Amino acid sequence: MSSMIDGVDQRTNLAGTNRLELLLFRLGGVQLYGINVFKVREAIPCPALTNMPNAHRVIKGVASIRGKTVSIVDLAESIGRRSVGDTQDKFVILTEYNRTVQGFLVSAVDRIVNISWSDVLPPPAASGANTYMTAITKVDDQLIQIIDVEQVLAEVMGMNTDVSSDIADEAAPPGEQRKHILVADDSSVARNQIKRTLDQIGVDSTIAKNGREALEILQGWAQQGINISEHVSLLISDIEMPEMDGYTLTSEIRKDPALKDLQILLHTSMSGTFNEALVQKVGADHFLPKFSADELATAVKSLIE
């Protein structure tokens, strides 16, 4: 299971099929967690770590992996659980999120499963607003929790959400008709980042928590006789979302005569190495890796103007 990069070409065939592959792992105890294999480079025994003075408390050190210096984050402690403890006999899941490579320390790596996004559901309402779950699913009658890694990284690494003044200054002046954008993302952190960026450039937004909800909003507007192309300047959609992923959402929009002309920007924390080809395959207009407020603002302005 160590190297997963070689399988990327095969996994791109999942685009538009509303399916994904999850790497299952544990953080101590019996509970299973999942992470999209698209974001995983390797799962390896934890290497020797070098302590970093003044590092965030959940960063257990750095390691040299494949010639890169990688921060190793205790994922259990990051989500409020007890630390996995001594790194001996533990594993590191090497991932690529938001244009950076990081390692997540876990207690055990289980297996890879192939499931449908329609079987991945939002976390229960009872889990509260501060949950680190972005979704849940079941595999062999076992509950799998999918962690909101974007929230973890925002808390550990920090994230600048300010748009540069020269870009923000170009926003529509007061009194001028404001553009309207639909945003679909299952991560509360990502939704807030996008909304804050749009607010700074004078663009209104409607927010959906997954692809299915976004599609239902668009279809509802169309059924009311609203011209979608005039009402919505752009759809910004994540790719990984419960119930319906961004690729499938894009495909469904392109098949619907009332929606097909809507501009679509796929905005994802997944690596851009293979996403450009997938964007063309499903018919999106643009792909942008997360997260740079300036790049998102610039891309949005270019597409809607």
Side-chain angles (χ1 to χ4, degrees):
M1 188 182 289
S2 63
S3 178
M4 300 184 183
I5 288 295
D6 292 342
V8 161
D9 287 341
Q10 294 177 352
R11 294 186 179 97
T12 59
N13 293 327
L14 296 176
T17 65
N18 211 37
R19 299 193 68 83
L20 79 156
E21 289 184 322
L22 285 177
L23 173 63
L24 305 185
F25 59 91
R26 300 181 194 274
L27 298 176
V30 298
Q31 176 64 55
L32 277 171
Y33 298 86
I35 187 172
N36 193 332
V37 170
F38 259 135
K39 293 181 177 177
V40 176
R41 287 189 167 194
E42 295 182 283
I44 59 175
C46 184
L49 302 183
T50 301
N51 291 329
M52 293 293 291
N54 304 316
H56 192 285
R57 61 180 175 79
V58 303
I59 297 179
K60 297 309 173 185
V62 297
S64 179
I65 303 175
R66 310 281 184 232
K68 281 183 172 288
T69 300
V70 180
S71 296
I72 307 300
V73 177
D74 186 325
L75 190 52
E77 195 172 352
S78 299
I79 64 171
R81 293 177 56 92
R82 179 182 298 176
S83 168
V84 298
D86 194 316
T87 59
Q88 188 174 358
D89 300 326
K90 302 301 191 299
F91 291 83
V92 166
I93 301 176
L94 193 67
T95 67
E96 185 171 351
Y97 278 88
N98 296 351
R99 315 183 196 206
T100 63
V101 175
Q102 55 283 129
F104 290 114
L105 183 66
V106 302
S107 62
V109 174
D110 191 84
R111 66 194 189 276
I112 293 173
V113 295
N114 184 305
I115 62 174
S116 170
W117 272 112
S118 61
D119 294 327
V120 180
L121 303 175
S127 58
N130 296 322
T131 179
Y132 285 88
M133 280 188 293
T134 189
I136 58 172
T137 190
K138 276 192 173 182
V139 174
D140 299 333
D141 292 326
Q142 283 187 282
L143 180 69
I144 311 297
Q145 294 185 15
I146 301 175
I147 296 172
D148 188 348
V149 178
E150 291 175 59
Q151 181 176 345
V152 171
L153 292 177
E155 292 179 0
V156 176
M157 310 295 186
M159 190 68 66
N160 180 20
T161 58
D162 291 332
V163 176
S164 298
S165 58
D166 57 333
I167 299 175
D169 287 346
E170 298 174 8
E176 185 173 315
Q177 176 91 23
R178 289 166 64 99
K179 302 289 187 179
H180 181 205
I181 288 178
L182 177 62
V183 176
D185 202 303
D186 64 321
S187 167
S188 61
V189 167
R191 292 195 299 270
N192 290 335
Q193 290 170 343
I194 297 168
K195 185 179 187 310
R196 175 165 166 74
T197 300
L198 297 179
D199 287 344
Q200 291 175 84
I201 59 172
V203 175
D204 292 330
S205 57
T206 296
I207 307 296
K209 295 179 180 178
N210 58 58
R212 185 168 300 283
E213 184 177 324
L215 184 61
E216 289 172 353
I217 288 172
L218 289 169
Q219 291 173 335
W221 285 336
Q223 287 169 7
Q224 294 172 36
I226 294 173
N227 185 309
I228 297 300
S229 296
E230 292 179 2
H231 183 62
V232 188
S233 300
L234 178 68
L235 166 67
I236 300 175
S237 176
D238 188 17
I239 291 178
E240 294 182 286
M241 294 181 288
E243 300 192 55
M244 179 181 288
D245 68 17
Y247 293 133
T248 305
L249 171 61
T250 302
S251 298
E252 290 297 315
I253 288 171
R254 292 296 179 241
K255 290 189 295 187
D256 189 323
L259 311 179
K260 64 182 179 63
D261 295 326
L262 177 62
Q263 290 194 100
I264 300 174
L265 165 63
L266 292 179
H267 185 237
T268 175
S269 57
M270 293 198 292
S271 165
T273 356
F274 44 83
N275 273 298
E276 294 289 355
L278 301 187
V279 166
Q280 294 178 17
K281 176 178 176 179
V282 298
D285 296 285
H286 192 59
F287 162 78
L288 188 68
K290 293 178 181 175
F291 171 78
S292 163
D294 279 355
E295 287 189 12
L296 177 59
T298 300
V300 166
K301 289 169 65 63
S302 174
L303 288 165
I304 67 178
E305 292 175 1

